[in-house]
Coordinates of all heavy atoms in Angstrom, one line a residue:
M149 N -18.2 19.5 24.6 CA -19.4 20.0 23.8 C -19.8 18.9 22.8 O -19.0 18.1 22.3 CB -19.0 21.3 23.0 CG -18.3 21.1 21.7 SD -18.2 22.6 20.6 CE -19.3 22.1 19.3
A150 N -21.1 19.0 22.5 CA -21.7 18.0 21.6 C -21.6 18.5 20.1 O -21.8 19.6 19.9 CB -23.1 17.7 22.0
Y151 N -21.4 17.5 19.3 CA -21.4 17.9 17.8 C -22.7 17.5 17.2 O -23.4 16.6 17.6 CB -20.2 17.1 17.1 CG -18.9 17.5 17.5 CD1 -18.2 16.9 18.5 CD2 -18.3 18.6 16.8 CE1 -16.9 17.3 18.8 CE2 -17.0 19.0 17.2 CZ -16.3 18.3 18.2 OH -15.1 18.8 18.5
T152 N -23.1 18.3 16.2 CA -24.3 18.0 15.4 C -23.9 17.1 14.2 O -22.7 17.0 13.9 CB -25.0 19.2 14.9 OG1 -24.1 19.9 14.0 CG2 -25.4 20.1 16.0
E153 N -24.9 16.5 13.6 CA -24.7 15.8 12.4 C -24.0 16.6 11.3 O -23.1 16.2 10.6 CB -26.0 15.2 11.9 CG -25.9 14.3 10.6 CD -27.3 13.8 10.2 OE1 -27.8 12.9 10.8 OE2 -27.8 14.4 9.2
Q154 N -24.5 17.9 11.2 CA -23.9 18.8 10.2 C -22.4 19.1 10.5 O -21.7 19.1 9.5 CB -24.7 20.2 10.2 CG -26.0 20.1 9.5 CD -27.2 19.5 10.3 OE1 -26.9 19.2 11.4 NE2 -28.3 19.4 9.7
Q155 N -22.1 19.2 11.7 CA -20.7 19.4 12.1 C -19.8 18.3 11.8 O -18.7 18.4 11.2 CB -20.5 19.9 13.5 CG -21.0 21.2 13.9 CD -21.1 21.5 15.3 OE1 -21.5 20.6 16.1 NE2 -20.7 22.7 15.7
M156 N -20.4 17.0 12.0 CA -19.7 15.8 11.7 C -19.4 15.7 10.2 O -18.3 15.4 9.8 CB -20.4 14.6 12.2 CG -19.8 13.3 11.9 SD -20.7 11.9 12.6 CE -22.1 11.7 11.5
I157 N -20.4 16.0 9.4 CA -20.3 16.0 7.9 C -19.3 17.0 7.5 O -18.4 16.7 6.6 CB -21.7 16.2 7.3 CG1 -22.6 15.0 7.6 CG2 -21.5 16.4 5.8 CD1 -24.1 15.2 7.2
A158 N -19.3 18.2 8.1 CA -18.3 19.2 7.7 C -16.9 18.8 8.0 O -16.0 19.0 7.2 CB -18.6 20.5 8.4
V159 N -16.6 18.2 9.2 CA -15.3 17.7 9.5 C -14.8 16.7 8.5 O -13.7 16.7 8.1 CB -15.2 17.2 11.0 CG1 -13.9 16.6 11.3 CG2 -15.5 18.4 11.9
V160 N -15.7 15.7 8.3 CA -15.3 14.5 7.4 C -15.1 15.1 6.0 O -14.1 14.7 5.4 CB -16.5 13.5 7.4 CG1 -16.2 12.4 6.3 CG2 -16.6 12.8 8.7
T161 N -15.9 16.0 5.5 CA -15.7 16.5 4.2 C -14.5 17.3 4.1 O -13.7 17.2 3.1 CB -16.9 17.5 3.8 OG1 -18.2 16.8 4.0 CG2 -16.8 18.0 2.4
A162 N -14.1 18.0 5.1 CA -12.8 18.8 5.1 C -11.6 17.8 5.0 O -10.6 18.2 4.5 CB -12.7 19.6 6.5
L163 N -11.8 16.6 5.6 CA -10.7 15.6 5.5 C -10.7 14.9 4.1 O -9.8 14.2 3.8 CB -10.9 14.6 6.6 CG -10.6 15.0 8.0 CD1 -11.1 14.0 9.0 CD2 -9.1 15.3 8.2
G164 N -11.8 15.2 3.3 CA -11.9 14.5 2.0 C -12.7 13.3 2.0 O -12.7 12.6 0.9
G165 N -13.3 13.0 3.1 CA -14.1 11.8 3.2 C -15.6 12.1 2.9 O -16.0 13.2 2.6
T166 N -16.4 11.0 3.0 CA -17.9 11.2 2.8 C -18.7 10.5 3.9 O -18.3 9.6 4.5 CB -18.3 10.5 1.5 OG1 -18.0 9.1 1.5 CG2 -17.6 11.2 0.2
V167 N -19.8 11.2 4.2 CA -20.8 10.7 5.1 C -22.0 10.3 4.4 O -22.6 11.0 3.7 CB -21.1 11.7 6.2 CG1 -22.2 11.1 7.2 CG2 -19.9 12.2 7.0
E168 N -22.5 9.0 4.6 CA -23.8 8.6 4.1 C -24.6 8.3 5.3 O -24.3 7.6 6.2 CB -23.5 7.3 3.3 CG -24.4 7.0 2.1 CD -24.1 5.7 1.4 OE1 -22.9 5.4 1.3 OE2 -25.1 5.1 1.1
V169 N -25.8 9.0 5.2 CA -26.8 8.8 6.3 C -27.8 7.8 5.6 O -28.6 8.1 4.8 CB -27.5 10.1 6.7 CG1 -28.5 9.9 7.8 CG2 -26.5 11.2 7.0
R170 N -27.8 6.6 6.2 CA -28.6 5.5 5.6 C -29.8 5.2 6.5 O -29.7 4.9 7.6 CB -27.8 4.3 5.3 CG -26.5 4.6 4.5 CD -25.8 3.4 4.1 NE -25.2 2.6 5.2 CZ -24.4 1.6 5.1 NH1 -24.1 1.1 3.9 NH2 -24.0 0.9 6.1
K171 N -31.0 5.3 5.8 CA -32.2 5.0 6.6 C -32.8 3.8 5.8 O -33.0 3.8 4.6 CB -33.1 6.2 6.6 CG -32.6 7.3 7.4 CD -33.4 8.6 7.3 CE -32.8 9.7 8.2 NZ -33.2 11.0 7.8
Y172 N -33.3 2.9 6.6 CA -33.8 1.7 6.0 C -35.4 1.6 6.2 O -35.9 2.3 7.0 CB -33.2 0.4 6.7 CG -31.7 0.5 6.5 CD1 -30.9 0.9 7.5 CD2 -31.1 0.1 5.3 CE1 -29.5 0.9 7.4 CE2 -29.7 0.1 5.1 CZ -28.9 0.6 6.2 OH -27.6 0.6 6.0
E173 N -36.0 0.7 5.4 CA -37.5 0.7 5.4 C -38.0 0.3 6.8 O -39.2 0.7 7.1 CB -37.9 -0.4 4.4 CG -38.0 0.2 2.9 CD -38.6 -0.7 1.9 OE1 -39.3 -1.6 2.3 OE2 -38.2 -0.6 0.8
D174 N -37.3 -0.5 7.5 CA -37.8 -0.8 8.8 C -37.5 0.3 9.9 O -37.7 0.0 11.1 CB -37.1 -2.1 9.3 CG -35.6 -2.0 9.6 OD1 -35.1 -0.9 9.4 OD2 -35.0 -3.0 10.0
K175 N -37.1 1.5 9.5 CA -36.9 2.7 10.3 C -35.6 2.7 11.0 O -35.3 3.7 11.7 CB -38.0 2.8 11.4 CG -39.4 3.0 10.9 CD -40.3 3.5 12.1 CE -41.7 3.9 11.7 NZ -42.6 2.7 11.5
S176 N -34.8 1.6 10.9 CA -33.5 1.7 11.5 C -32.6 2.6 10.6 O -33.0 2.9 9.4 CB -32.9 0.3 11.6 OG -32.7 -0.3 10.4
G177 N -31.5 2.9 11.1 CA -30.5 3.7 10.3 C -29.1 3.7 10.8 O -28.9 3.3 11.9
D178 N -28.2 4.0 9.9 CA -26.8 4.1 10.3 C -26.0 5.1 9.6 O -26.5 5.6 8.5 CB -26.1 2.7 10.3 CG -26.0 2.1 8.9 OD1 -26.3 2.8 7.9 OD2 -25.7 1.0 8.7
Y179 N -24.9 5.4 10.1 CA -23.9 6.3 9.3 C -22.8 5.5 8.7 O -22.3 4.6 9.4 CB -23.3 7.3 10.3 CG -24.2 8.4 10.8 CD1 -24.5 8.4 12.2 CD2 -24.7 9.4 10.0 CE1 -25.3 9.4 12.7 CE2 -25.5 10.4 10.5 CZ -25.8 10.4 11.9 OH -26.5 11.3 12.4
L180 N -22.5 5.7 7.5 CA -21.3 5.1 6.9 C -20.4 6.2 6.5 O -20.7 7.1 5.7 CB -21.7 4.3 5.6 CG -20.5 3.6 4.9 CD1 -20.0 2.4 5.8 CD2 -20.9 3.0 3.6
I181 N -19.2 6.2 7.1 CA -18.2 7.3 6.9 C -17.0 6.8 6.3 O -16.2 6.0 6.9 CB -17.9 8.0 8.3 CG1 -19.2 8.4 8.9 CG2 -17.0 9.2 8.1 CD1 -19.0 9.3 10.2
D182 N -16.8 7.1 5.0 CA -15.7 6.6 4.2 C -14.5 7.6 4.3 O -14.7 8.9 4.2 CB -16.0 6.5 2.8 CG -16.9 5.2 2.5 OD1 -16.6 4.2 3.2 OD2 -17.8 5.3 1.7
A183 N -13.3 7.1 4.5 CA -12.1 7.9 4.4 C -11.8 8.2 3.0 O -12.3 7.4 2.1 CB -10.9 7.2 5.1
P184 N -11.1 9.3 2.6 CA -10.7 9.4 1.2 C -9.9 8.3 0.7 O -9.2 7.6 1.4 CB -9.9 10.8 1.2 CG -9.6 11.0 2.7 CD -10.5 10.2 3.5
K185 N -10.0 8.1 -0.6 CA -9.3 7.0 -1.3 C -7.8 7.0 -0.9 O -7.2 8.1 -1.0 CB -9.5 7.1 -2.8 CG -9.2 5.8 -3.6 CD -9.6 6.0 -5.0 CE -8.9 5.0 -5.9 NZ -9.5 3.7 -5.9
G186 N -7.3 5.9 -0.5 CA -5.9 5.8 -0.2 C -5.6 6.0 1.2 O -4.4 5.9 1.7
S187 N -6.6 6.4 2.0 CA -6.4 6.6 3.4 C -7.3 5.7 4.2 O -8.3 5.2 3.8 CB -6.8 8.1 3.7 OG -6.0 9.0 3.0
V188 N -6.9 5.6 5.5 CA -7.7 4.9 6.6 C -7.9 5.8 7.7 O -7.1 6.8 7.9 CB -7.1 3.6 7.0 CG1 -7.0 2.6 5.9 CG2 -5.6 3.9 7.5
W189 N -8.9 5.5 8.5 CA -9.1 6.3 9.8 C -8.0 5.8 10.8 O -7.9 4.7 11.0 CB -10.5 6.1 10.3 CG -11.6 6.6 9.4 CD1 -12.4 5.9 8.6 CD2 -11.8 8.0 9.2 NE1 -13.2 6.8 7.9 CE2 -12.9 8.0 8.2 CE3 -11.4 9.2 9.7 CZ2 -13.4 9.2 7.8 CZ3 -11.9 10.4 9.3 CH2 -12.9 10.4 8.3
S190 N -7.3 6.8 11.3 CA -6.2 6.5 12.3 C -6.7 5.7 13.5 O -6.0 4.8 14.0 CB -5.5 7.7 12.7 OG -4.9 8.3 11.6
A191 N -7.9 6.0 14.0 CA -8.4 5.4 15.2 C -8.7 3.9 15.0 O -8.5 3.1 16.0 CB -9.7 6.1 15.6
T192 N -9.1 3.5 13.8 CA -9.5 2.1 13.6 C -8.7 1.4 12.6 O -8.8 0.2 12.4 CB -11.0 2.1 13.2 OG1 -11.1 2.9 12.0 CG2 -11.9 2.6 14.2
H193 N -7.9 2.1 11.8 CA -7.2 1.6 10.7 C -8.1 0.9 9.7 O -7.7 -0.1 9.0 CB -6.0 0.5 11.1 CG -4.9 1.3 11.8 ND1 -4.9 1.4 13.2 CD2 -3.9 2.0 11.4 CE1 -3.8 2.1 13.6 NE2 -3.2 2.5 12.4
T194 N -9.3 1.4 9.6 CA -10.2 0.9 8.5 C -10.6 2.0 7.6 O -10.5 3.2 7.9 CB -11.6 0.4 9.2 OG1 -12.1 1.5 10.0 CG2 -11.3 -0.8 10.1
H195 N -11.1 1.6 6.4 CA -11.4 2.6 5.4 C -12.8 3.3 5.7 O -13.1 4.4 5.2 CB -11.5 2.0 4.0 CG -10.2 1.7 3.4 ND1 -9.4 2.7 2.8 CD2 -9.4 0.6 3.4 CE1 -8.3 2.1 2.5 NE2 -8.3 0.9 2.8
A196 N -13.6 2.6 6.5 CA -14.9 3.2 6.8 C -15.3 3.0 8.3 O -14.9 2.0 8.9 CB -16.0 2.4 5.9
L197 N -16.0 3.9 8.7 CA -16.6 3.8 10.1 C -18.1 3.6 9.9 O -18.7 4.3 9.0 CB -16.4 5.1 10.8 CG -14.9 5.6 11.0 CD1 -14.9 7.0 11.6 CD2 -14.1 4.6 11.9
R198 N -18.7 2.7 10.6 CA -20.2 2.5 10.5 C -20.8 2.3 11.9 O -20.3 1.6 12.7 CB -20.5 1.3 9.7 CG -21.9 1.2 9.2 CD -22.3 -0.3 9.0 NE -22.4 -1.0 10.2 CZ -23.4 -0.8 11.1 NH1 -24.5 -0.1 10.8 NH2 -23.4 -1.5 12.3
E199 N -21.8 3.0 12.1 CA -22.5 2.9 13.5 C -24.0 3.2 13.3 O -24.4 4.1 12.6 CB -21.9 3.9 14.5 CG -22.1 3.3 15.9 CD -21.1 4.0 16.9 OE1 -19.9 4.3 16.5 OE2 -21.5 4.2 18.0
D200 N -24.8 2.4 14.0 CA -26.2 2.5 14.0 C -26.7 3.8 14.8 O -26.1 4.0 15.8 CB -26.9 1.3 14.6 CG -26.7 0.0 13.8 OD1 -26.6 0.2 12.6 OD2 -26.7 -1.1 14.4
F201 N -27.7 4.5 14.3 CA -28.2 5.6 15.1 C -29.7 5.4 15.4 O -30.3 6.2 16.1 CB -28.0 7.0 14.5 CG -28.6 7.1 13.1 CD1 -30.0 7.3 13.0 CD2 -27.8 7.1 12.0 CE1 -30.5 7.5 11.7 CE2 -28.3 7.3 10.7 CZ -29.7 7.5 10.6
A202 N -30.3 4.4 14.8 CA -31.8 4.1 15.1 C -32.1 2.6 14.9 O -31.4 1.9 14.2 CB -32.6 4.9 14.2
N203 N -33.1 2.2 15.7 CA -33.4 0.7 15.5 C -34.7 0.6 14.8 O -35.4 1.6 14.4 CB -33.5 0.0 16.9 CG -34.5 0.6 17.8 OD1 -35.4 1.3 17.3 ND2 -34.4 0.3 19.1
S204 N -35.2 -0.6 14.6 CA -36.4 -0.8 13.7 C -37.7 -0.3 14.4 O -38.7 -0.2 13.8 CB -36.5 -2.3 13.4 OG -36.5 -3.1 14.6
A205 N -37.6 -0.1 15.7 CA -38.8 0.5 16.4 C -38.8 2.0 16.2 O -39.7 2.7 16.7 CB -38.7 0.2 17.8
G206 N -37.8 2.6 15.4 CA -37.8 4.0 15.2 C -37.2 4.8 16.2 O -37.2 6.1 16.2
F207 N -36.7 4.1 17.3 CA -36.0 4.8 18.3 C -34.6 5.3 17.9 O -33.8 4.5 17.4 CB -35.9 3.9 19.6 CG -35.1 4.5 20.7 CD1 -35.8 5.4 21.5 CD2 -33.8 4.2 21.0 CE1 -35.1 6.0 22.6 CE2 -33.2 4.8 22.1 CZ -33.8 5.7 22.8
S208 N -34.4 6.5 18.0 CA -33.1 7.1 17.6 C -32.2 7.6 18.7 O -32.7 8.2 19.7 CB -33.4 8.3 16.6 OG -32.2 8.9 16.3
W209 N -30.9 7.3 18.6 CA -29.9 7.8 19.5 C -28.8 8.5 18.8 O -27.7 8.4 19.1 CB -29.5 6.7 20.5 CG -28.9 5.6 19.7 CD1 -27.6 5.4 19.3 CD2 -29.6 4.4 19.2 NE1 -27.4 4.2 18.7 CE2 -28.6 3.6 18.5 CE3 -30.9 4.0 19.2 CZ2 -28.9 2.4 17.8 CZ3 -31.2 2.8 18.6 CH2 -30.3 2.0 17.9
K210 N -29.2 9.4 17.8 CA -28.3 10.1 16.9 C -27.2 10.8 17.7 O -26.0 10.7 17.3 CB -29.0 11.0 16.0 CG -29.1 10.5 14.6 CD -29.6 11.6 13.7 CE -29.9 10.9 12.3 NZ -30.4 11.9 11.3
P211 N -27.5 11.7 18.7 CA -26.4 12.5 19.3 C -25.3 11.6 19.9 O -24.1 11.9 19.8 CB -27.2 13.2 20.5 CG -28.6 13.3 20.0 CD -28.9 12.0 19.2
K212 N -25.7 10.4 20.5 CA -24.7 9.5 21.0 C -23.8 8.9 20.0 O -22.6 8.7 20.1 CB -25.5 8.4 21.8 CG -24.8 7.9 23.0 CD -25.7 6.9 23.7 CE -24.9 5.9 24.5 NZ -25.6 4.8 25.0
T213 N -24.5 8.6 18.8 CA -23.7 8.0 17.7 C -22.8 9.0 17.1 O -21.7 8.7 16.8 CB -24.7 7.5 16.6 OG1 -25.7 6.6 17.2 CG2 -24.0 6.8 15.5
V214 N -23.2 10.2 17.0 CA -22.4 11.3 16.3 C -21.2 11.5 17.3 O -20.1 11.6 16.8 CB -23.2 12.6 16.2 CG1 -22.3 13.7 15.8 CG2 -24.3 12.4 15.0
A215 N -21.4 11.6 18.6 CA -20.3 11.8 19.5 C -19.3 10.7 19.5 O -18.1 10.9 19.4 CB -20.9 11.8 21.0
S216 N -19.9 9.5 19.4 CA -19.0 8.3 19.3 C -18.1 8.3 18.0 O -16.9 8.1 18.0 CB -19.8 7.0 19.4 OG -19.1 5.9 18.9
L217 N -18.8 8.6 16.9 CA -18.1 8.6 15.6 C -17.1 9.8 15.5 O -16.0 9.7 14.9 CB -19.1 8.7 14.4 CG -19.8 7.4 14.2 CD1 -21.0 7.7 13.2 CD2 -19.0 6.4 13.5
M218 N -17.5 10.9 16.1 CA -16.6 12.1 16.1 C -15.2 11.8 16.8 O -14.2 12.3 16.4 CB -17.3 13.3 16.7 CG -18.2 14.0 15.8 SD -17.4 14.6 14.3 CE -16.6 16.1 14.8
T219 N -15.3 11.0 17.9 CA -14.1 10.6 18.6 C -13.1 9.9 17.6 O -11.9 10.3 17.7 CB -14.5 9.6 19.7 OG1 -15.5 10.1 20.5 CG2 -13.3 9.2 20.6
D220 N -13.6 9.1 16.7 CA -12.8 8.4 15.8 C -12.3 9.4 14.6 O -11.2 9.4 14.2 CB -13.4 7.2 15.2 CG -13.5 6.0 16.2 OD1 -12.8 6.1 17.2 OD2 -14.3 5.1 15.9
V221 N -13.3 10.2 14.2 CA -13.0 11.1 13.1 C -12.0 12.1 13.4 O -11.1 12.4 12.7 CB -14.4 11.8 12.6 CG1 -14.0 13.0 11.8 CG2 -15.3 10.8 11.9
L222 N -12.0 12.6 14.7 CA -11.1 13.6 15.1 C -9.7 13.1 15.2 O -8.7 13.9 15.4 CB -11.6 14.3 16.4 CG -12.8 15.2 16.2 CD1 -13.3 15.7 17.5 CD2 -12.5 16.4 15.3
C223 N -9.5 11.7 15.3 CA -8.2 11.2 15.3 C -7.5 11.3 13.9 O -6.3 11.1 13.7 CB -8.2 9.7 15.7 SG -8.6 9.4 17.4
G224 N -8.4 11.7 12.9 CA -7.8 11.9 11.6 C -7.5 10.7 10.7 O -8.0 9.6 11.1
I225 N -6.9 11.0 9.6 CA -6.7 9.9 8.7 C -5.2 9.7 8.4 O -4.4 10.6 8.7 CB -7.3 10.2 7.3 CG1 -6.9 11.6 6.8 CG2 -8.9 10.1 7.4 CD1 -7.4 12.0 5.4
Q226 N -4.8 8.5 7.9 CA -3.5 8.3 7.6 C -3.4 7.4 6.3 O -4.4 6.8 6.0 CB -2.7 7.6 8.7 CG -3.3 6.2 9.1 CD -2.6 5.7 10.4 OE1 -2.7 6.3 11.4 NE2 -1.9 4.6 10.3
K227 N -2.3 7.4 5.7 CA -2.2 6.7 4.4 C -2.4 5.2 4.7 O -2.0 4.6 5.7 CB -0.8 6.8 3.9 CG -0.6 6.5 2.5 CD 0.9 6.9 2.0 CE 1.2 6.2 0.7 NZ 1.3 4.8 0.7
C228 N -3.1 4.5 3.8 CA -3.4 3.1 3.9 C -2.0 2.4 3.5 O -1.6 2.6 2.3 CB -4.5 2.7 3.0 SG -4.7 0.9 2.9
D229 N -1.5 1.6 4.4 CA -0.2 1.0 4.0 C -0.3 -0.5 3.8 O 0.6 -1.2 3.7 CB 0.8 1.3 5.2 CG 0.3 0.8 6.5 OD1 -0.7 0.1 6.6 OD2 1.0 1.2 7.5
E230 N -1.6 -0.9 3.5 CA -1.8 -2.3 3.2 C -1.4 -2.6 1.7 O -1.9 -1.8 0.8 CB -3.3 -2.6 3.4 CG -3.5 -4.1 3.5 CD -5.0 -4.4 3.7 OE1 -5.7 -3.7 4.5 OE2 -5.5 -5.3 3.0
T231 N -0.6 -3.6 1.5 CA -0.3 -3.9 0.1 C -1.4 -4.6 -0.5 O -2.0 -5.5 0.1 CB 1.1 -4.6 0.0 OG1 1.0 -5.7 0.9 CG2 2.3 -3.8 0.3
D232 N -1.6 -4.4 -1.8 CA -2.7 -5.0 -2.5 C -4.1 -4.8 -1.8 O -4.9 -5.8 -1.7 CB -2.5 -6.5 -2.6 CG -1.3 -6.9 -3.6 OD1 -1.1 -6.0 -4.5 OD2 -0.7 -7.9 -3.4
C233 N -4.3 -3.6 -1.3 CA -5.6 -3.4 -0.7 C -6.7 -3.2 -1.7 O -6.6 -2.5 -2.7 CB -5.5 -2.0 0.1 SG -7.0 -1.5 0.8
D234 N -7.8 -4.0 -1.4 CA -8.9 -4.0 -2.4 C -9.6 -2.7 -2.4 O -10.2 -2.3 -3.4 CB -9.9 -5.1 -1.9 CG -9.4 -6.5 -2.2 OD1 -8.5 -6.6 -3.0 OD2 -9.9 -7.4 -1.5
M235 N -9.7 -2.0 -1.3 CA -10.3 -0.7 -1.2 C -9.6 0.4 -2.0 O -10.2 1.2 -2.6 CB -10.5 -0.3 0.2 CG -11.3 -1.2 1.1 SD -13.0 -1.2 0.7 CE -13.5 0.4 1.4
C236 N -8.3 0.3 -2.1 CA -7.5 1.4 -2.7 C -7.2 1.1 -4.1 O -7.1 2.0 -4.9 CB -6.2 1.6 -1.9 SG -6.5 2.1 -0.2
G237 N -7.0 -0.2 -4.4 CA -6.6 -0.5 -5.8 C -5.2 0.0 -6.0 O -4.4 -0.1 -5.1
E238 N -4.9 0.3 -7.2 CA -3.6 0.8 -7.6 C -3.4 2.2 -7.0 O -4.1 3.2 -7.3 CB -3.4 0.9 -9.1 CG -3.5 -0.5 -9.7 CD -2.2 -1.3 -9.5 OE1 -1.1 -0.7 -9.8 OE2 -2.2 -2.5 -9.1
V239 N -2.5 2.4 -6.1 CA -2.2 3.7 -5.6 C -0.9 4.2 -6.1 O 0.1 3.5 -6.0 CB -2.2 3.7 -4.0 CG1 -1.9 5.0 -3.5 CG2 -3.5 3.1 -3.5
E240 N -0.9 5.4 -6.7 CA 0.3 6.0 -7.3 C 1.3 6.3 -6.2 O 0.9 6.9 -5.1 CB 0.0 7.1 -8.1 CG -0.7 6.8 -9.4 CD -1.1 8.1 -10.2 OE1 -0.1 8.8 -10.4 OE2 -2.2 8.2 -10.5
L241 N 2.5 6.0 -6.3 CA 3.5 6.3 -5.3 C 4.2 7.6 -5.7 O 4.3 8.0 -6.8 CB 4.5 5.1 -5.1 CG 4.0 3.8 -4.7 CD1 5.0 2.7 -4.9 CD2 3.4 3.8 -3.3
Ligands
ZN264 ZN1 -6.5 0.7 1.5

């Protein structure tokens, strides 16, 4: 089944993360999905997922992008175990 942008935002929010839908002046756009502070996405071991959903010609392939991002989002989050991580700063133990 296909997920909508709203469903993707709901899943990310439930995990404590945030979704930024960014649209640029040249009509291109992307999603920036941040994991909650102190956590990384298990699928990529990164703090943020980013993927384009439209190009400068205004052509949008949002459903495909949402499906691709949901694959990573549904793998969940895990604690960032990088020491001196710039993204996390001081993490209380
Ligand atoms: Zn970190």
